[in-house]
Amino acid sequence: MDGNRRWAKAKGLPALEGHRRGYEKTHEVLLWASKLGVRYLILYAFSTENWSRTKEEVGYLMGLLHLLLSRDVTRIAKEGYRIRCIGERGRFSPDLQKLMNGAEELTAKNTGTMLVLALSYGGRAEILAGVRKILCGKKTEITETDFSSSLWSAGIPDPDMIIRPGGEKRLSGFLTWGSVYSELFFTDTKWPDFSLEEFQAMLAEFGTRERRIGK
């Protein structure tokens, strides 16, 4: 969900306004994904590196997350979506951790699109957490399936496609383990301006790509 601050700067607006508009875009994209048959929508909402931003900016982002998990979660649940949070939950306030758990429990029985929020997430951090979990066990032989089940993203299918708006052409630690065969899409469009038409065009192109998965 890249480009919020640059979008705001280009329009002469405060950086925080860019985040607010990016937050609104999240609701739109979830609706589009659901209508287009996307079963899992994973949003890289806050990385492990984002904690180093200014106190004001981090506080504002935490406020938006609180809003989503307290006010908006009721509507999300009624519309049949599921919510899952992955990442370093322990770095968030006890209140936000409670809201994350509550959102997952409230929507657990829904059957619609799953909205996965990657929060204080980093691909290397996820792999290290998985290694630590395995080391606490007694297995001496570990399969890829064993390792996948130890990750924060366990139970979520590897992404078929990854879209990065904002002009950068890198994954920046997004789903490092699960993205090895994902189809990548990069666009100069900043997140607040990402459109349904562009999303549909990417899905259409995805349908034309030959996915050999190493075969």
Side-chain angles (χ1 to χ4, degrees):
M1 301 157 65
D2 197 21
N4 292 337
R5 294 185 295 181
R6 282 173 287 142
W7 177 90
K9 182 178 180 181
K11 295 183 178 297
L13 299 170
L16 299 185
E17 176 62 14
H19 288 310
R20 188 189 71 80
R21 292 294 293 270
Y23 175 77
E24 292 177 351
K25 181 61 62 174
T26 297
H27 295 270
E28 291 182 54
V29 175
L30 177 58
L31 179 60
W32 302 342
S34 177
K35 289 185 175 181
L36 293 169
V38 176
R39 299 297 300 158
Y40 293 85
L41 177 66
I42 308 173
L43 297 180
Y44 202 176
F46 193 84
S47 74
T48 50
E49 291 78 16
N50 287 158
W51 290 108
S52 64
R53 294 187 176 183
T54 66
K55 184 176 180 181
E56 179 188 22
E57 186 173 4
V58 171
Y60 187 80
L61 291 170
M62 292 304 105
L64 290 178
L65 178 58
H66 191 284
L67 192 65
L68 172 67
L69 296 174
S70 59
R71 185 195 69 182
D72 297 340
V73 70
T74 302
R75 176 179 58 79
I76 290 172
K78 287 181 178 179
E79 292 174 350
Y81 302 121
R82 295 169 289 165
I83 291 180
R84 171 97 176 265
C85 300
I86 61 173
E88 300 172 324
R89 294 198 192 202
R91 295 189 70 174
F92 292 93
S93 68
D95 183 38
L96 277 175
Q97 291 182 53
K98 184 178 179 180
L99 288 174
M100 290 179 200
N101 293 334
E104 290 177 331
E105 292 172 5
L106 179 64
T107 62
K109 294 182 179 180
N110 288 349
T111 58
T113 299
M114 177 179 281
L115 173 62
V116 182
L117 299 172
L119 300 165
S120 190
Y121 176 90
R124 290 180 177 179
E126 180 181 35
I127 289 172
L128 284 174
V131 170
R132 293 188 187 102
K133 186 175 181 179
I134 287 173
L135 289 175
C136 291
K138 299 180 180 180
K139 285 192 174 184
T140 56
E141 296 293 331
I142 301 169
T143 66
E144 287 191 10
T145 301
D146 294 330
F147 189 72
S148 293
S149 66
S150 74
L151 298 175
W152 294 325
S153 52
I156 300 169
D158 291 344
D160 292 309
M161 60 187 292
I162 294 175
I163 301 169
R164 179 162 187 170
E168 305 291 357
K169 294 178 174 60
R170 58 178 180 269
L171 296 185
S172 299
F174 183 61
L175 298 175
T176 303
W177 176 265
S179 65
V180 290
Y181 283 112
S182 302
E183 296 294 321
L184 307 180
F185 293 80
F186 299 100
T187 174
D188 291 333
T189 303
K190 297 173 181 61
W191 177 247
D193 283 334
F194 190 63
S195 68
L196 173 59
E197 291 73 22
E198 191 166 14
F199 188 34
Q200 289 175 314
M202 290 177 176
L203 289 172
E205 182 182 335
F206 172 79
T208 68
R209 293 190 183 183
E210 184 180 359
R211 304 188 72 208
R212 296 187 297 275
I213 317 295
K215 297 179 182 177

